[in-house]
Amino acid sequence: MTLFTDLQSTLNLAQQGRYKAALKSARAGMRRHKKHPAFPNIAAVCLCSMDKKREAVPLYQKALSLDPNFHDARRNLGMALVSLHQNENAIKVLSKAIRNNPRDGQAWRHIALARRNLGDDRNALAAAEKALEIEPENEDTLKLHADALEKIGHISAALEACRSALKIAPSNINLLELTASLLSYQCITDEALSLRQKAATLAPQDIETLAPLATQLLTMGQQAEARSLCLGLLKLSPVSYSTMEELSLFQTKEQNVELRNTALKALDNSSLQASNRAYLYFTLAHIDRQAGDVSSAENYYVRANREVAKKTPYDAARETNVHKNIISRYSGPDLVGNQDPPDPRPIYVVGLPRSGTTLTETTLGAHPNVAPLGERRLSKILLSTFQDDLPFGADEQKKLAELQQENLPPLPSDTFAYVDKMPENHRYIGPLKSAFGNARFINLRRDPRDVALSQWHSHFTSGSITYSYDLKAIAHKFNLYAEIMAHWHKVMPGEILDMPYEDLVSDIDTSTKKIAEHCGLDWTPSMAQPHKHAGQVRTMSLHQVRQPVHKKSVNKWIQHEEMLAPFVAELDPGLWPEIR
C-alpha cells in the first residue's frame, strides 16, 4: 500500500469514530512509514479519544521529533498535558504552538484552561478572550470565557457573557448550569430554576444536571419537589451518596428508616473513597440524631469528621499569619472610610458559621427597603490581599467598592441597604469600612460550645471551612475570631453591634429593633417574623430558617459536654470568659 492510501484509510477510520481500528491502522502505518509524523500523531489522537492520554504523550513527542514544525502535534500534545494536569508543561508547549500559529483557537483555549487550573485567573481570562476572538461561536470557548470572568469576581459581566452565549448555544448543559449558578448567586431564582429545569429536560438521566436542580428546589423551600427528584436520582445512581445525605436532612423519621438501611448497606463496600464514606457517615449521623439515638449519632459524627479532616486538613499556621497581618495593618484608631460611598449601603452580618447569621439576614430581609443577598464574595478577594501581603490603599479600596457595585443584582429603586451575610467577613471589618464608609456591621455572638457543636454536625461540602472537622482546629479558629473582634471594637468603637444569638431567639422583637436602629432603619413588625419572609437560602441553615424563631438550639451543648471537652480545653479563657 502507498503512503497516501495508508494515511487516507487511517484518517477515515478515525473520522468515523472507530478509534481502536484507527489506532491499529496508525500503528501499522508507523511500521511501514517510519519517518512520517502523521501516523504517531493520529495514533495519539485515537488514544486520547479512548481516554488513554498518558499513552498518547510519547507518540505526540515522536511525531514532533520527526517534524519539529508539526503544529497540530504540538497543539495536541499541549491539550493532552492539560488533561493530565501537567499545566506548566502544557503552557510551554502551547505557547510555542501559538508563536507558530497565533490564530489557533484550540491552543488559546487550552492555555486558558491550564492557567485556570494553576489559579492564574487573570491570564486565564486574557487567553480565553483571545480564543473567543478567533472562534466566537465555539461553545467550549464561550463557557470558558464566562467562567474566567466569574473566577476574577466579575459576576455581572460573567452573567452577561453567559446569556449571550446561550443565544448561540441554547442547549449546552454546562453553560446552562453556569448561568443558573450565577443567577442564583444574584438572587434571580426563578430564572435560575427555569434554566436548570431546561437542562434536566435535555439530560433527564444526567446526575450532574439533576443534582443542582434538587438543591435549587431546596434553597427555594420546595421540599416535596426536591425529595421526589432526589429519590429519582438515587434510582438512577444508587451510589449518589451526597444525595443520601441531602435527603437525611429534611425527610421525616419514617422516611429516613429506609434510607438508613440503604446507607448501612453502602458502607459494606470496602473500596469506598474517603469522601463517600464521609457522606454515608454524615447521613447515618443525621438520621440517628433525628431519631434521638445520641450515642450512635455521635459515633457516626466522629467518623464522618475524621474522614473529611484527613482529606482537607486545617492550615493553622496560614490562618494565624493572615490574622496577624490584618491586625498589624489596621492597628490605629482612625479608620475614616470612604467619604463618598455608593448607595445602597451594605450591611455586613458577621460571626462564625452557625452562629445565627442566616437568621439575622432574614430578619433584615423582611424589611421592605432591604435586599438580602446571601454570602457575597469579597472575602475571597480580601483573603488574597492579606495572605499575599498585597497593598490595600485608596486605589484598591475604590476598586473593591466599584467591583461590589458592579456585581449587585438589579434592586428596587427604594432599596436603602443590602445584606452580605458572609460570616468570614469578621476578619475584614476594617478593610470593608475603609472601602464602604456607610457600611453597618452586626456581629452574631453565640455560646461557642453551641456553635462548635453545630459545626461538628454539619458537612460543609464546599471545602471552605476546613477547621470544622477537628475539635482543636475549631477552637483555634474561634480564638482568632474572638481576638480580631476585640481588636475591631477597640479601633472602631461604636461601629459594630454585637447581637447575642440567645437574645435574638428569646426576644425577637427587642433584638430586631436594636438591629434596625443600628442600621438606620425604621423597625417593621415583619422583621420579627423572619420565617414568613425566607426566600432563597443557600447555607446549612436552609431548613431551620423556614421555621418560627425558637430556642431549641440554645445550650444544646450540655448533652455533648464530654465530646466537646477537647474543644473547650483549647479555648482561650481570656477571649471566652463565659465558658469558665
Side-chain angles (χ1 to χ4, degrees), residues 443-505:
N443 172 45
L444 269 293
R445 179 94 177 191
R446 184 182 180 188
D447 188 308
R449 293 161 293 193
D450 277 333
V451 180
L453 178 66
S454 186
Q455 290 188 3
W456 186 251
H457 288 172
S458 300
H459 189 190
F460 301 98
T461 52
S462 66
S464 59
I465 309 178
T466 56
Y467 62 86
S468 67
Y469 307 104
D470 179 281
L471 291 170
K472 291 186 178 181
I474 295 175
H476 181 268
K477 183 67 175 181
F478 281 27
N479 287 336
L480 295 183
Y481 155 76
E483 183 178 15
I484 205 164
M485 287 310 305
H487 173 74
W488 296 134
H489 277 297
K490 179 181 178 181
V491 301
M492 300 170 60
E495 291 286 350
I496 305 162
L497 172 66
D498 278 339
M499 174 52 61
Y501 171 81
E502 294 77 10
D503 290 357
L504 182 63
V505 297

Side-chain angles (χ1 to χ4, degrees), residues 9 42 52 61 78 97 115 119 146-147 171 220 260 272 307 332 336 359 372 469 509 522:
S9 173
I42 297 171
K52 296 181 178 180
Q61 291 170 334
R115 293 210 177 273
D147 186 65
S171 299
M220 298 174 71
R260 188 180 194 278
L272 277 175
E307 294 290 352
V336 178
L359 174 59
Y469 307 104
D509 281 50
D522 293 326

